[in-house]
Amino acid sequence: MSRIELSVKVLKTLVFLLLLCATAAGAENWQELKGEHFEVFYLEDAKFAQDVLTRAEKYYENIASDLGYSRYDNFWQWDNRAKIFIYRNHAEFLKATGKKSWVYGTAIYGERKIISYRWSQGFLDVLLPHELSHLIFRDFVGFKGAVPLWLDEGISQWEEVDKRKWAVHMVKNLIKKRDYIPLAELTRLGAGSENDFTVSAKLYAQAVTLVGYLIEKYGPDKFAQFCRGLRDGKSVNDALSYAYADAIRNIAALEKGWLDYYKGE
């Protein structure tokens, strides 16, 4: 092969690589919006992206207040902002994430990321507050503590405000029929239990109302203290006693208080 032929071949290869890079860059030509606690990356529809940013900041305030974390300075600010990626449609989201077809969004807890696509109210009213609650809660308590599934899911379901009335209605019926899951058993349930349709509805309803009971009855500061106890390695019983002293010494006392609270409504 002559030098000219080699040079032409090298040149063609370089051109091909440049075109490939340009195509890849064009496929993910992300635009960006920045707020106090979030960065929103989107491919089209700036108005929807702005709605996402506005809602995310509002949800952040509500969640931090409910969990008693609102006094932490620089929490998720500056370089620590959480990132939200919005694809154009479901197909693009699935291709980028490799998720199953029934998944509409996902959160990467360790990286403070939420990934979804532009699907209007379902994203804004349901998935966004749910996943943000998981991120904020897990960012605070970490992943090493003995955090029961009902607490993790209960916080996220609680922040889907429309779920609260449904949960209270269902729990009152479960209590009336004595068909609820005993709290000691509920506390033993691990990840994946929410996919068991025989327990998922009860699990979610009880989880929402347990969190609601602790926040409404005793306030967010004590709830945050309970979460800090779990973060620091305490058992659920010890964390309850640590935060609520004589009022809730253990899981059995929590169950009794919860039952009394919703029987009386």
Side-chain angles (χ1 to χ4, degrees), residues 48-65:
F48 183 76
Q50 183 60 60
D51 288 343
V52 169
L53 180 60
T54 301
R55 290 285 193 99
E57 293 290 354
K58 183 61 178 176
Y59 288 139
Y60 174 89
E61 292 177 8
N62 293 341
I63 295 166
S65 176

Side-chain angles (χ1 to χ4, degrees), residues 10-45:
V10 171
L11 181 60
K12 286 182 177 179
T13 302
L14 289 173
V15 170
F16 173 76
L17 290 173
L18 287 171
L19 289 172
L20 186 63
C21 291
T23 301
E28 295 188 352
N29 186 23
W30 294 103
Q31 301 179 69
E32 180 183 359
L33 290 174
K34 284 187 178 182
E36 185 177 2
H37 303 99
F38 298 92
E39 294 176 83
V40 176
F41 297 87
Y42 64 101
L43 296 168
E44 66 178 23
D45 198 342

Side-chain angles (χ1 to χ4, degrees), residues 2-128:
S2 68
R3 290 184 179 179
I4 294 176
E5 289 175 328
L6 181 59
S7 297
V8 170
K9 187 174 181 179
V10 171
L11 181 60
K12 286 182 177 179
T13 302
L14 289 173
V15 170
F16 173 76
L17 290 173
L18 287 171
L19 289 172
L20 186 63
C21 291
T23 301
E28 295 188 352
N29 186 23
W30 294 103
Q31 301 179 69
E32 180 183 359
L33 290 174
K34 284 187 178 182
E36 185 177 2
H37 303 99
F38 298 92
E39 294 176 83
V40 176
F41 297 87
Y42 64 101
L43 296 168
E44 66 178 23
D45 198 342
K47 182 182 182 303
F48 183 76
Q50 183 60 60
D51 288 343
V52 169
L53 180 60
T54 301
R55 290 285 193 99
E57 293 290 354
K58 183 61 178 176
Y59 288 139
Y60 174 89
E61 292 177 8
N62 293 341
I63 295 166
S65 176
D66 283 345
L67 302 185
Y69 305 155
S70 55
R71 291 174 299 185
Y72 284 78
D73 293 333
N74 298 324
F75 190 58
W76 282 24
Q77 292 182 325
W78 310 109
D79 292 338
N80 292 321
R81 291 184 182 96
K83 295 176 173 56
I84 302 172
F85 291 85
I86 307 171
Y87 283 91
R88 282 177 283 249
N89 52 54
H90 194 209
E92 283 189 356
F93 163 76
L94 294 177
K95 183 178 180 181
T97 60
K99 296 294 183 181
K100 301 293 186 181
S101 60
W102 58 82
V103 177
Y104 299 98
T106 186
I108 305 174
Y109 298 152
E111 299 178 19
R112 293 199 190 103
K113 287 182 182 178
I114 293 175
I115 306 171
S116 188
Y117 67 98
R118 183 168 52 89
W119 53 292
S120 193
Q121 294 305 118
F123 177 80
L124 293 171
D125 295 340
V126 180
L127 187 137
L128 187 58

